């Protein structure tokens, strides 16, 4: 049962939930800083502007049509009947959120959380497309994500769709469980990031003729680390609000959720620090940041249903997994992902989802929970990846997404915005003329 | 190769759905779900490989 149908959602719970949701934009701010810091200095303003524009596009498109596909638990949906069982695969809400009573209620809080969540999901691909993804193309791609891909999968998980019903209909535990959006936000964003990285191809100069990758270091590690700290605040809001709204865990569990979130991030960041220290002689700031973010991502799915010690284990595995995934993508698969978006959000998110099946102790039936989680991961890879790739591939055919070679050489700031992020760093010859 | 990879992704997803919807036995269902995931892994490997080759062709 969700709080949407619970009579015990007190005014105090509503107020707490509202405040928690207002923390979520910090996650977006953090992610924007991370994406910007991990890119080149000549694309920094472009990255931040892109973040703002993408969040704006996502919010508007979600309002216009996204919500109508996602819907809410207990509201109209399209059913596909197989045998005697109805598979709720898409919501049937009107466009422009018509018919929604936006007074402060659990339902309206879910809608508000979703507007922020879809913006967060839309920011993820920016990390993979950094330094070469045109601003207008990223907006168009975001419209596809916020208008179709995200709402569809979020309906399956959070809108009473077929994944959420796996427990009730087929006895698979409590159905697919994702408290804070490891799958709906992170993996959907991460798989879109993978599609974008494949479609755009690597940055010029990233790979030599024999396929060896060149190191293009992060231009501002301070942005990146500060972004991680901001993201923590956002994730605390996201995980706590998600637990309250989607699983009715009760206000008394909010402390556990927050603690698990912090511990998973801490364990993942420390694991990344130890691994990079052992392998390279010194801890690597970018990879520690990626590890930290991976811990946050992995914590989301089961933060309300695991003990703190388990959250540490989830974080440790996430930290190691993400370092491994980053190396595999860069060295073996030649996928240029400057922000580490694919490893952090797709790989970290999938691990978080599976960890629910492995470790979570749900209040009701646990049997079959792991299979329900595996089915959810299979749906992500088997349906969401081809869908998001196909949509972006089509978009690329009608509206090329990659900037021109000249634009890339010049830098995205000058080419697309007409001004550098750090103009004081530019040396003008006239400053040296003797007067 | 890329199209075949995406076809396998969809086929794997379909196999997983069919296993959930049609099989009652827990053991059979688990087996077929895992088989579907296996098909997806082959599919994603094919897609990744095709992009690797495309990139090599582009130089």
């Amino acid at each position: 049962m969700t709080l949407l149908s619970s009579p015990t959602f007190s005014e105090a719970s509503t107020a707490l939930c509202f405040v928690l949701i207002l923390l979520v934009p910090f996650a977006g701010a953090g992610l924007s800083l991370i994406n910007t810091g991990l890119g080149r200095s000549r694309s920094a303003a472009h990255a931040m502007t892109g973040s703002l524009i993408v969040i704006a596009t996502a919010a508007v498109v979600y309002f216009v049509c996204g919500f109508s596909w996602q819907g809410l638990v207990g509201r109209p949906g399209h059913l596909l009947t197989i045998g005697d069982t109805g598979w709720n695969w898409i919501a049937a809400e009107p466009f422009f959120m018509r018919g929604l009573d936006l007074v402060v209620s659990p339902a309206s809080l879910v809608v508000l959380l979703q507007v922020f969540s879809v913006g967060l999901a839309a920011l993820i691909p920016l990390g993979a497309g950094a330094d070469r993804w045109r601003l207008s193309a990223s907006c168009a791609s975001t419209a596809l994500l916020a208008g179709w891909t995200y709402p569809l999968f979020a309906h399956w998980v959070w809108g009473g769709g077929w994944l959420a019903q796996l427990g009730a209909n087929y006895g698979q535990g409590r159905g697919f469980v994702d408290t804070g959006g490891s799958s709906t936000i992170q993996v959907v964003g991460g798989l879109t990031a993978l599609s974008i990285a494949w479609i755009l191809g690597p940055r010029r100069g990233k790979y030599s003729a024999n396929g060896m990758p060149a190191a293009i270091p992060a231009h501002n590690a301070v942005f990146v680390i500060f972004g991680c700290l901001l993201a923590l605040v956002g994730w605390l809001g996201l995980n706590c609000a998600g637990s309250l709204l989607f699983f009715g865990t009760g206000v008394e569990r909010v402390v556990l959720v927050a603690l698990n979130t912090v511990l998973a991030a801490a364990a993942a960041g420390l694991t990344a620090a130890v691994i990079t220290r052992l392998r390279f002689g010194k801890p690597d700031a970018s990879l520690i940041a990626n590890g930290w973010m991976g811990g946050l991502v992995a914590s989301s799915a089961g933060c309300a249903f695991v003990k703190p010690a388990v959250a540490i284990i989830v974080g440790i595995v996430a930290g190691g997994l993400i370092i491994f995934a980053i190396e595999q993508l860069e060295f073996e698969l030649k996928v240029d992902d400057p922000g580490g978006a694919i490893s952090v959000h797709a790989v970290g998110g999938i691990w978080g989802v599976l960890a629910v099946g492995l470790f979570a102790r749900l209040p009701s039936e646990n049997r079959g929970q792991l299979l329900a989680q595996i089915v959810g991961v299979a749906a992500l890879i088997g349906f969401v990846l081809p869908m998001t790739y196909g949509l972006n591939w089509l978009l690329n055919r009608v509206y090329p997404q990659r900037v021109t070679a000249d634009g890339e050489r010049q830098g995205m700031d000058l080419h697309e915005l007409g001004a550098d992020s750090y103009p004081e760093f530019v040396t003008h010859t006239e400053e040296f003329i003797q007067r | 190769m890329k199209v075949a990879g995406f076809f396998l992704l969809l086929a794997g997803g379909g196999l997983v759905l069919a296993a959930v919807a049609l099989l009652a036995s827990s053991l059979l269902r688990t087996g077929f779900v895992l088989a579907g995931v296996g098909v997806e892994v082959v599919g994603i490997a094919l897609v990744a490989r095709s992009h690797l080759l495309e990139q090599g062709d582009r130089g």
Side-chain angles (χ1 to χ4, degrees), chain A residues 298-393:
Chain A
S299 77
S300 288
C303 53
F305 306 114
V306 297
K307 292 182 173 167
V310 173
I312 291 178
I313 294 170
V314 170
I316 289 171
V317 175
L321 202 59
I322 277 148
I323 305 288
F324 174 76
I326 285 173
E327 288 189 358
Q328 287 298 309
L329 281 170
E330 182 172 358
F331 289 92
E332 301 299 329
L333 299 176
K334 315 280 187 254
V335 174
D336 185 15
D337 176 13
I342 303 160
S343 310
V344 169
H345 299 277
V347 177
I350 287 173
W351 161 240
V353 164
L354 293 177
V356 172
L358 292 172
F359 303 122
R361 291 287 165 266
L362 298 163
S364 52
E365 183 62 57
N366 268 306
R367 209 175 47 174
Q369 190 61 49
L370 180 57
L371 195 65
Q373 301 302 107
I374 292 173
V375 171
V377 171
L380 282 161
I381 297 172
F383 300 123
V384 173
L385 178 59
M387 187 163 58
T388 190
Y389 185 94
L391 290 172
N392 279 292
W393 180 83

Side-chain angles (χ1 to χ4, degrees), chain B:
Chain B
M1 191 193 288
K2 193 193 298 179
V3 176
F6 278 115
F7 178 74
L8 281 179
L9 283 177
L10 290 169
L15 192 55
V16 170
L17 287 195
V20 172
L22 303 176
L23 299 174
S25 152
S26 164
L27 195 67
L28 267 180
R29 185 184 284 173
T30 306
F32 272 85
V33 165
L34 292 178
V37 172
V39 172
E40 289 184 355
V41 170
V42 175
I44 204 165
L46 268 183
V47 175
R49 178 93 185 129
S50 75
H51 277 98
L52 205 57
L53 293 175
E54 265 179 25
Q55 206 172 297
D57 292 343
R58 282 199 294 239

